[in-house]
Amino acid sequence: MLQAPRPHPQLRCKAESDKFSNDSEEDMFGDYDSFYGNDSLIAQVADIEHKYLQDKIIDVKAAGEIVLGNLQSGVHQKEQDNFSASQNVVVLKSDKEGACQMCDSDPADGNQELAESALDDLPSSQLLCFEKMDELPSASRTSPISEGRNECVNSFSDKIRDPLSYAGAEHRDRPTDSSSRSKCVLFKSESLKDHLKSAMTGNARAQTLQVSKTKQLKEAVLSEEIFVARKAIESSSLDIGPFYGLPSKVKELFRQLRGIETLYEWQHDCLMLESLQQRKNLIYSLPTSGGKTLVAEIIILQELLCRQKDVLMILPYVAIVQEKVRGLSSFGIELGFLVEEYAGSKGRFPPIKRRIKKSLYIATIEKGHALVNSLIETERINDLGLVVVDELHMLGAGSRGAVLEITLAKILYTSKKTQIIGMSATLNNVGDLQKFLQAEYYTNNFRPVELKEYVKIRDTIYAVDSKTQNGFAFSRLLNFKYSSNLEKADPDHIIALVTEVIPKYSCLIFCPTKKNCENVASMVSKYLKKEFRAHKEKEKQDLIKNLKSIGNGTVCPVLKQTIPFGIAYHHSGLTNDERKSIEEAYSAGVLCLLACTATLAAGVNLPARRVILRAPYVGNDFLKKSQYKQMTGRAGRAGIDSAGESILIAQEKDKHLVQDLVHSPLENCYSNLLLELTKGIQSLLLSLVGLKIAVTHEEVDNFMCCTLLGVQQQLLSKEKSFSEIIKDGLENLIEKGLLKGGISEKDHNSKSTLTITPLGKAAYKGSIDLAYCNILYRELKKGLEGLVLESNLHLLYLSTPYDMTSTCSPDWIIYLRQFNQLSAAEQKVADIVGVPESLITKMASGQAIRKNVDNAVVNRFYLTFVLYTLLKETNIWSVSEKFNLSRGYVQNLLNSAASFASCLLHFCEELEEFWVYKALLMELTKQLTYCVKTELIPLMEVAGVLEARAKQLYNAGYKTLAHLANANPETLVRMIEHLSRRQAKQIISSAKMLLSEKAEALQEEVEELLKVPMDIPGIH
């Protein structure tokens, strides 16, 4: 680690000067010459300027901006209110722009540095203007700060004030943009000497606050460290600055926000890899809980702060995206970059082009693909400096894996400047992935906490040991007295296993099905001793009250029974609010046991001392090795446990299968482009032509060889060649009317050009599954003939996702009851879409149906009824009871409908004939996304604020985004029940980030409007 650089000369001052607020004009500049009493300082500037102008032609305007930007950086205003409108407003603005803060250090060290350093002939703010001179008066400087400043000074030339004004806000320097040339037009005829005089006069007259000199020192050091880091990273030097090429402020933030004091040895080794220094693509693999994400976050910060490029982070699930947005917003606020959420219906395509701040896009797989498409289309893909993919093994996971493969293949093909980092705990055929991603590979078996794996058969526990003959070694017998009743209720001895660790330590039980989760939680709580109720009793009662308010007075009977014992279940049958409350209670130690499905293992990070696998099955399928690894990987909490334990409960009949499971290698990762035809290869071929990445068969062939499918093409059946499979896909798209062009048997490798049709363009821009593309078009076209707008029922039907109809089994009595409540106009909608009342009546009465019925349409309309009722009542609990559906299913339907409505909007935007749908779908998407009363929507835009929390905040007086962004965390904790200090800080940071994004967007729009066009007729 490098030693902290010496303080910036600009901030050195007389040791006896303790404050600035009462200084007179004569001594305002300390040991610098006062330009009223002695003109030597200005004379020196004039001489140097004259000498420099003789050697080279410089842009005086740009130099003037640097002076204005840097003269003020020594006086950092804490309150923006003190910037009164005056003749010095330009100078004062530069003051705010130039200010930077650094993390806390020992003030004594700072004072010692100040005392030891001598003043130079000229202030550094003036020296910055002449960094490119062949010789400088201060060439004898040896401080690393001066060197870093001289090397990186170009980055100083354009700054922006943070749109948020709040005490202690930190701001960072930004690179020059071409638009900055027009910002100081009023100075264009003045000399540098005049600039300096004007700026110094403004400083002298400006009212200033008392500012800690230690704080000024920190600000300067942070600024210089960023420049030194940029230069070091650009030169690929091993000497990469104070914290892996980043300012030490970053290290301090990791300590403050995450409690991370030092990195593991493997993390240091990985960050120092030569391949990373050379910006090569990298795949790295470690066991779950090994600390992979921290390495990725440091690399992301290097890209944003040092290389000044945008970054895309792709995560598998919406909940993880939201969690990461909350976690990194604090870093964005402190370090001056934007964090943008791309999940569900959120995300702008293409993203706003930021001229000043850089953006970190955090996206789901599907939204990440749409984002990359929009960047390629607008020729901005090279703005993306880095793409980070978590859970890289998802490449082999069905249609989502196909979409991820398509996204990465497009980035690799269209941008040679974008680095790709992939990480996973469960990779096997790494060679194929390396070849696909053109990547280096790093792996390590490190775990911060040792994992001990066990298998339980009957009442015997065996340790997993590959050295023994059968792979198992006897460990112990269970020592727990079971009554005959308890033996019947708990034949697998789950109670014996959990009571060994709870309530002192935490435990997870992974169950095969959702119903089994509830049964296990209920059974364990039923037979636990009453003493378990006393542990954190008040907090558990608070949790029940919180769940009751979430359910508008209703609590799940199972949770009501289990929570007093510190037990709950966790699966997709919970609403978002319930799931979040349970996760928070478990993390806080209020709950000590969760019975959960496998989705928790791949989702949010909830580790435990002991992990129990209820059976080696997920649903009816036998456990895969990757699933086993993910579940057992949750055992052991870094910094809390000395070891973690996993216990797999198996029956005698499954013993051999379990032996194979625990000792077998991980599954290989195979391309899903062919298996997922409409979401895979056909979707890829369509967008290749639409984005003009490849427009002839030959070009398409070349691209396809760069995919994972291309790398693994030797695994394809021998019936057809790879080129013939591609040709069939293109012909299929032409038949569907999505592409135009001829591909004959004779000339399929010729240069004949393919073009995309308007329908094809709408399909790929809307990310519509090609299986439903034509039927969607027909239904929208039919809607134009008689769209019923008395209510939103008709529009909701068009926005109901097609892929959920197969999971729907209507209750015909409920269907008929809901139908009878419709108005005459709404019943007309049913006739238009093809669900007549006679059909529902016959089905409800059990009569036979003679006509052919399109079950997909009937089921889809039933789901539309659910959504229609949900938007009217905005209560998932009451709607789930009304339709006899699980509340988790209703929640999932709502989320899917919001996402599909967003896709539908983009689809309609590309087809002029559907102009009427645009405004209607925009409003409907918003309603489906939040499904709350209008006044709560601004609060729910904040990452991590769900309906229950939004109601609490609104009732406490926090009614707008600005209220939240400027809230005091201590006040928030005091006023909002069940809100921890950490959660309060995350909410405030997320609100600040969102407000910052909106302000930045408006500022960009203003600058674009005021920008003078370069092609005005008659002006040369």
Side-chain angles (χ1 to χ4, degrees), residues 599-622:
T599 51
L600 185 137
V604 289
N605 186 23
L606 295 176
R609 163 64 74 92
R610 176 175 288 180
V611 167
I612 299 169
L613 281 68
R614 170 73 179 76
Y617 291 91
V618 173
N620 295 321
D621 301 322
F622 197 79

PDB file of all heavy atoms in Angstrom, residues 599-622:
ATOM      1  N   THR A 599     -34.726 -21.632  -4.011  1.00  0.00           N
ATOM      2  CA  THR A 599     -34.546 -20.292  -4.576  1.00  0.00           C
ATOM      3  C   THR A 599     -33.792 -19.371  -3.618  1.00  0.00           C
ATOM      4  O   THR A 599     -33.107 -18.460  -4.057  1.00  0.00           O
ATOM      5  CB  THR A 599     -35.906 -19.646  -4.922  1.00  0.00           C
ATOM      6  OG1 THR A 599     -36.765 -19.731  -3.769  1.00  0.00           O
ATOM      7  CG2 THR A 599     -36.562 -20.337  -6.088  1.00  0.00           C
ATOM      8  N   LEU A 600     -33.899 -19.614  -2.310  1.00  0.00           N
ATOM      9  CA  LEU A 600     -33.178 -18.769  -1.356  1.00  0.00           C
ATOM     10  C   LEU A 600     -31.669 -18.952  -1.511  1.00  0.00           C
ATOM     11  O   LEU A 600     -30.901 -18.005  -1.348  1.00  0.00           O
ATOM     12  CB  LEU A 600     -33.601 -19.077   0.075  1.00  0.00           C
ATOM     13  CG  LEU A 600     -32.983 -18.162   1.149  1.00  0.00           C
ATOM     14  CD1 LEU A 600     -34.032 -17.763   2.179  1.00  0.00           C
ATOM     15  CD2 LEU A 600     -31.832 -18.833   1.865  1.00  0.00           C
ATOM     16  N   ALA A 601     -31.241 -20.163  -1.859  1.00  0.00           N
ATOM     17  CA  ALA A 601     -29.808 -20.436  -2.005  1.00  0.00           C
ATOM     18  C   ALA A 601     -29.196 -19.613  -3.133  1.00  0.00           C
ATOM     19  O   ALA A 601     -28.042 -19.202  -3.070  1.00  0.00           O
ATOM     20  CB  ALA A 601     -29.582 -21.916  -2.262  1.00  0.00           C
ATOM     21  N   ALA A 602     -29.993 -19.399  -4.181  1.00  0.00           N
ATOM     22  CA  ALA A 602     -29.491 -18.645  -5.329  1.00  0.00           C
ATOM     23  C   ALA A 602     -29.831 -17.167  -5.237  1.00  0.00           C
ATOM     24  O   ALA A 602     -29.450 -16.386  -6.104  1.00  0.00           O
ATOM     25  CB  ALA A 602     -30.091 -19.220  -6.616  1.00  0.00           C
ATOM     26  N   GLY A 603     -30.538 -16.777  -4.190  1.00  0.00           N
ATOM     27  CA  GLY A 603     -30.993 -15.394  -4.073  1.00  0.00           C
ATOM     28  C   GLY A 603     -30.187 -14.585  -3.092  1.00  0.00           C
ATOM     29  O   GLY A 603     -28.958 -14.602  -3.117  1.00  0.00           O
ATOM     30  N   VAL A 604     -30.896 -13.920  -2.195  1.00  0.00           N
ATOM     31  CA  VAL A 604     -30.241 -13.017  -1.242  1.00  0.00           C
ATOM     32  C   VAL A 604     -29.313 -13.783  -0.299  1.00  0.00           C
ATOM     33  O   VAL A 604     -29.497 -14.966  -0.057  1.00  0.00           O
ATOM     34  CB  VAL A 604     -31.286 -12.223  -0.424  1.00  0.00           C
ATOM     35  CG1 VAL A 604     -31.970 -11.203  -1.293  1.00  0.00           C
ATOM     36  CG2 VAL A 604     -32.296 -13.152   0.210  1.00  0.00           C
ATOM     37  N   ASN A 605     -28.335 -13.072   0.222  1.00  0.00           N
ATOM     38  CA  ASN A 605     -27.311 -13.704   1.052  1.00  0.00           C
ATOM     39  C   ASN A 605     -27.776 -13.826   2.498  1.00  0.00           C
ATOM     40  O   ASN A 605     -27.741 -12.877   3.255  1.00  0.00           O
ATOM     41  CB  ASN A 605     -26.029 -12.881   0.965  1.00  0.00           C
ATOM     42  CG  ASN A 605     -24.883 -13.569   1.693  1.00  0.00           C
ATOM     43  OD1 ASN A 605     -24.902 -14.783   1.888  1.00  0.00           O
ATOM     44  ND2 ASN A 605     -23.906 -12.805   2.103  1.00  0.00           N
ATOM     45  N   LEU A 606     -28.242 -15.023   2.888  1.00  0.00           N
ATOM     46  CA  LEU A 606     -28.674 -15.278   4.261  1.00  0.00           C
ATOM     47  C   LEU A 606     -27.947 -16.521   4.782  1.00  0.00           C
ATOM     48  O   LEU A 606     -28.459 -17.639   4.706  1.00  0.00           O
ATOM     49  CB  LEU A 606     -30.197 -15.493   4.317  1.00  0.00           C
ATOM     50  CG  LEU A 606     -31.081 -14.298   3.955  1.00  0.00           C
ATOM     51  CD1 LEU A 606     -32.542 -14.704   3.953  1.00  0.00           C
ATOM     52  CD2 LEU A 606     -30.862 -13.133   4.924  1.00  0.00           C
ATOM     53  N   PRO A 607     -26.735 -16.358   5.299  1.00  0.00           N
ATOM     54  CA  PRO A 607     -25.979 -17.523   5.778  1.00  0.00           C
ATOM     55  C   PRO A 607     -26.468 -18.033   7.128  1.00  0.00           C
ATOM     56  O   PRO A 607     -27.262 -17.379   7.801  1.00  0.00           O
ATOM     57  CB  PRO A 607     -24.546 -16.975   5.884  1.00  0.00           C
ATOM     58  CG  PRO A 607     -24.724 -15.511   6.133  1.00  0.00           C
ATOM     59  CD  PRO A 607     -25.994 -15.100   5.434  1.00  0.00           C
ATOM     60  N   ALA A 608     -26.001 -19.223   7.514  1.00  0.00           N
ATOM     61  CA  ALA A 608     -26.422 -19.850   8.780  1.00  0.00           C
ATOM     62  C   ALA A 608     -25.291 -20.701   9.337  1.00  0.00           C
ATOM     63  O   ALA A 608     -24.387 -21.115   8.604  1.00  0.00           O
ATOM     64  CB  ALA A 608     -27.650 -20.721   8.544  1.00  0.00           C
ATOM     65  N   ARG A 609     -25.333 -20.956  10.659  1.00  0.00           N
ATOM     66  CA  ARG A 609     -24.345 -21.852  11.270  1.00  0.00           C
ATOM     67  C   ARG A 609     -24.528 -23.266  10.707  1.00  0.00           C
ATOM     68  O   ARG A 609     -23.561 -23.944  10.393  1.00  0.00           O
ATOM     69  CB  ARG A 609     -24.528 -21.856  12.794  1.00  0.00           C
ATOM     70  CG  ARG A 609     -23.871 -23.030  13.533  1.00  0.00           C
ATOM     71  CD  ARG A 609     -22.351 -23.051  13.413  1.00  0.00           C
ATOM     72  NE  ARG A 609     -21.722 -22.028  14.220  1.00  0.00           N
ATOM     73  CZ  ARG A 609     -21.313 -22.203  15.464  1.00  0.00           C
ATOM     74  NH1 ARG A 609     -21.471 -23.376  16.052  1.00  0.00           N
ATOM     75  NH2 ARG A 609     -20.739 -21.223  16.120  1.00  0.00           N
ATOM     76  N   ARG A 610     -25.800 -23.708  10.616  1.00  0.00           N
ATOM     77  CA  ARG A 610     -26.067 -25.056  10.104  1.00  0.00           C
ATOM     78  C   ARG A 610     -27.106 -24.998   8.986  1.00  0.00           C
ATOM     79  O   ARG A 610     -28.107 -24.302   9.099  1.00  0.00           O
ATOM     80  CB  ARG A 610     -26.563 -25.966  11.226  1.00  0.00           C
ATOM     81  CG  ARG A 610     -26.963 -27.372  10.774  1.00  0.00           C
ATOM     82  CD  ARG A 610     -27.336 -28.265  11.938  1.00  0.00           C
ATOM     83  NE  ARG A 610     -26.161 -28.650  12.723  1.00  0.00           N
ATOM     84  CZ  ARG A 610     -26.211 -29.425  13.797  1.00  0.00           C
ATOM     85  NH1 ARG A 610     -27.373 -29.903  14.224  1.00  0.00           N
ATOM     86  NH2 ARG A 610     -25.111 -29.733  14.452  1.00  0.00           N
ATOM     87  N   VAL A 611     -26.841 -25.736   7.924  1.00  0.00           N
ATOM     88  CA  VAL A 611     -27.788 -25.867   6.813  1.00  0.00           C
ATOM     89  C   VAL A 611     -28.230 -27.323   6.742  1.00  0.00           C
ATOM     90  O   VAL A 611     -27.392 -28.235   6.710  1.00  0.00           O
ATOM     91  CB  VAL A 611     -27.137 -25.443   5.472  1.00  0.00           C
ATOM     92  CG1 VAL A 611     -27.999 -25.876   4.300  1.00  0.00           C
ATOM     93  CG2 VAL A 611     -26.905 -23.939   5.437  1.00  0.00           C
ATOM     94  N   ILE A 612     -29.548 -27.535   6.741  1.00  0.00           N
ATOM     95  CA  ILE A 612     -30.108 -28.894   6.659  1.00  0.00           C
ATOM     96  C   ILE A 612     -30.851 -29.032   5.335  1.00  0.00           C
ATOM     97  O   ILE A 612     -31.684 -28.185   4.992  1.00  0.00           O
ATOM     98  CB  ILE A 612     -31.076 -29.162   7.830  1.00  0.00           C
ATOM     99  CG1 ILE A 612     -30.335 -29.042   9.172  1.00  0.00           C
ATOM    100  CG2 ILE A 612     -31.727 -30.538   7.704  1.00  0.00           C
ATOM    101  CD1 ILE A 612     -31.250 -29.020  10.381  1.00  0.00           C
ATOM    102  N   LEU A 613     -30.524 -30.070   4.583  1.00  0.00           N
ATOM    103  CA  LEU A 613     -31.257 -30.366   3.347  1.00  0.00           C
ATOM    104  C   LEU A 613     -32.284 -31.435   3.680  1.00  0.00           C
ATOM    105  O   LEU A 613     -31.923 -32.592   3.970  1.00  0.00           O
ATOM    106  CB  LEU A 613     -30.304 -30.833   2.240  1.00  0.00           C
ATOM    107  CG  LEU A 613     -29.509 -29.736   1.514  1.00  0.00           C
ATOM    108  CD1 LEU A 613     -28.472 -29.086   2.432  1.00  0.00           C
ATOM    109  CD2 LEU A 613     -28.816 -30.297   0.278  1.00  0.00           C
ATOM    110  N   ARG A 614     -33.545 -31.057   3.655  1.00  0.00           N
ATOM    111  CA  ARG A 614     -34.644 -31.921   4.102  1.00  0.00           C
ATOM    112  C   ARG A 614     -34.717 -33.226   3.311  1.00  0.00           C
ATOM    113  O   ARG A 614     -35.103 -34.275   3.833  1.00  0.00           O
ATOM    114  CB  ARG A 614     -35.947 -31.118   3.954  1.00  0.00           C
ATOM    115  CG  ARG A 614     -37.235 -31.878   4.138  1.00  0.00           C
ATOM    116  CD  ARG A 614     -37.464 -32.218   5.602  1.00  0.00           C
ATOM    117  NE  ARG A 614     -38.711 -32.919   5.794  1.00  0.00           N
ATOM    118  CZ  ARG A 614     -38.908 -34.215   5.498  1.00  0.00           C
ATOM    119  NH1 ARG A 614     -37.943 -34.938   4.998  1.00  0.00           N
ATOM    120  NH2 ARG A 614     -40.071 -34.771   5.733  1.00  0.00           N
ATOM    121  N   ALA A 615     -34.345 -33.163   2.033  1.00  0.00           N
ATOM    122  CA  ALA A 615     -34.332 -34.343   1.156  1.00  0.00           C
ATOM    123  C   ALA A 615     -33.488 -33.995  -0.066  1.00  0.00           C
ATOM    124  O   ALA A 615     -33.369 -32.823  -0.415  1.00  0.00           O
ATOM    125  CB  ALA A 615     -35.753 -34.717   0.735  1.00  0.00           C
ATOM    126  N   PRO A 616     -32.910 -34.976  -0.736  1.00  0.00           N
ATOM    127  CA  PRO A 616     -32.074 -34.682  -1.909  1.00  0.00           C
ATOM    128  C   PRO A 616     -32.916 -34.437  -3.171  1.00  0.00           C
ATOM    129  O   PRO A 616     -32.609 -34.972  -4.248  1.00  0.00           O
ATOM    130  CB  PRO A 616     -31.207 -35.938  -2.040  1.00  0.00           C
ATOM    131  CG  PRO A 616     -32.051 -37.031  -1.487  1.00  0.00           C
ATOM    132  CD  PRO A 616     -32.893 -36.423  -0.399  1.00  0.00           C
ATOM    133  N   TYR A 617     -33.983 -33.665  -3.025  1.00  0.00           N
ATOM    134  CA  TYR A 617     -34.874 -33.392  -4.158  1.00  0.00           C
ATOM    135  C   TYR A 617     -35.240 -31.909  -4.217  1.00  0.00           C
ATOM    136  O   TYR A 617     -35.305 -31.233  -3.180  1.00  0.00           O
ATOM    137  CB  TYR A 617     -36.170 -34.204  -4.037  1.00  0.00           C
ATOM    138  CG  TYR A 617     -35.975 -35.692  -4.214  1.00  0.00           C
ATOM    139  CD1 TYR A 617     -35.710 -36.508  -3.109  1.00  0.00           C
ATOM    140  CD2 TYR A 617     -36.042 -36.279  -5.477  1.00  0.00           C
ATOM    141  CE1 TYR A 617     -35.511 -37.869  -3.255  1.00  0.00           C
ATOM    142  CE2 TYR A 617     -35.848 -37.651  -5.634  1.00  0.00           C
ATOM    143  CZ  TYR A 617     -35.585 -38.444  -4.525  1.00  0.00           C
ATOM    144  OH  TYR A 617     -35.388 -39.785  -4.682  1.00  0.00           O
ATOM    145  N   VAL A 618     -35.450 -31.416  -5.430  1.00  0.00           N
ATOM    146  CA  VAL A 618     -36.081 -30.106  -5.650  1.00  0.00           C
ATOM    147  C   VAL A 618     -37.339 -30.402  -6.453  1.00  0.00           C
ATOM    148  O   VAL A 618     -37.278 -30.796  -7.619  1.00  0.00           O
ATOM    149  CB  VAL A 618     -35.154 -29.145  -6.423  1.00  0.00           C
ATOM    150  CG1 VAL A 618     -35.909 -27.870  -6.778  1.00  0.00           C
ATOM    151  CG2 VAL A 618     -33.919 -28.821  -5.607  1.00  0.00           C
ATOM    152  N   GLY A 619     -38.502 -30.260  -5.811  1.00  0.00           N
ATOM    153  CA  GLY A 619     -39.740 -30.743  -6.425  1.00  0.00           C
ATOM    154  C   GLY A 619     -39.655 -32.250  -6.505  1.00  0.00           C
ATOM    155  O   GLY A 619     -39.392 -32.942  -5.506  1.00  0.00           O
ATOM    156  N   ASN A 620     -39.853 -32.777  -7.723  1.00  0.00           N
ATOM    157  CA  ASN A 620     -39.752 -34.224  -7.915  1.00  0.00           C
ATOM    158  C   ASN A 620     -38.417 -34.635  -8.519  1.00  0.00           C
ATOM    159  O   ASN A 620     -38.174 -35.821  -8.765  1.00  0.00           O
ATOM    160  CB  ASN A 620     -40.893 -34.710  -8.831  1.00  0.00           C
ATOM    161  CG  ASN A 620     -42.253 -34.520  -8.183  1.00  0.00           C
ATOM    162  OD1 ASN A 620     -42.403 -34.740  -6.979  1.00  0.00           O
ATOM    163  ND2 ASN A 620     -43.240 -34.083  -8.969  1.00  0.00           N
ATOM    164  N   ASP A 621     -37.549 -33.653  -8.796  1.00  0.00           N
ATOM    165  CA  ASP A 621     -36.270 -33.940  -9.449  1.00  0.00           C
ATOM    166  C   ASP A 621     -35.162 -34.124  -8.423  1.00  0.00           C
ATOM    167  O   ASP A 621     -35.098 -33.389  -7.431  1.00  0.00           O
ATOM    168  CB  ASP A 621     -35.890 -32.798 -10.403  1.00  0.00           C
ATOM    169  CG  ASP A 621     -36.948 -32.589 -11.485  1.00  0.00           C
ATOM    170  OD1 ASP A 621     -37.498 -33.594 -11.963  1.00  0.00           O
ATOM    171  OD2 ASP A 621     -37.216 -31.420 -11.832  1.00  0.00           O
ATOM    172  N   PHE A 622     -34.291 -35.103  -8.713  1.00  0.00           N
ATOM    173  CA  PHE A 622     -33.160 -35.323  -7.806  1.00  0.00           C
ATOM    174  C   PHE A 622     -32.212 -34.129  -7.880  1.00  0.00           C
ATOM    175  O   PHE A 622     -32.052 -33.500  -8.927  1.00  0.00           O
ATOM    176  CB  PHE A 622     -32.422 -36.620  -8.170  1.00  0.00           C
ATOM    177  CG  PHE A 622     -31.532 -37.116  -7.071  1.00  0.00           C
ATOM    178  CD1 PHE A 622     -32.067 -37.797  -5.986  1.00  0.00           C
ATOM    179  CD2 PHE A 622     -30.157 -36.881  -7.093  1.00  0.00           C
ATOM    180  CE1 PHE A 622     -31.247 -38.249  -4.947  1.00  0.00           C
ATOM    181  CE2 PHE A 622     -29.340 -37.326  -6.076  1.00  0.00           C
ATOM    182  CZ  PHE A 622     -29.886 -38.011  -4.991  1.00  0.00           C
TER     183      PHE A 622
END
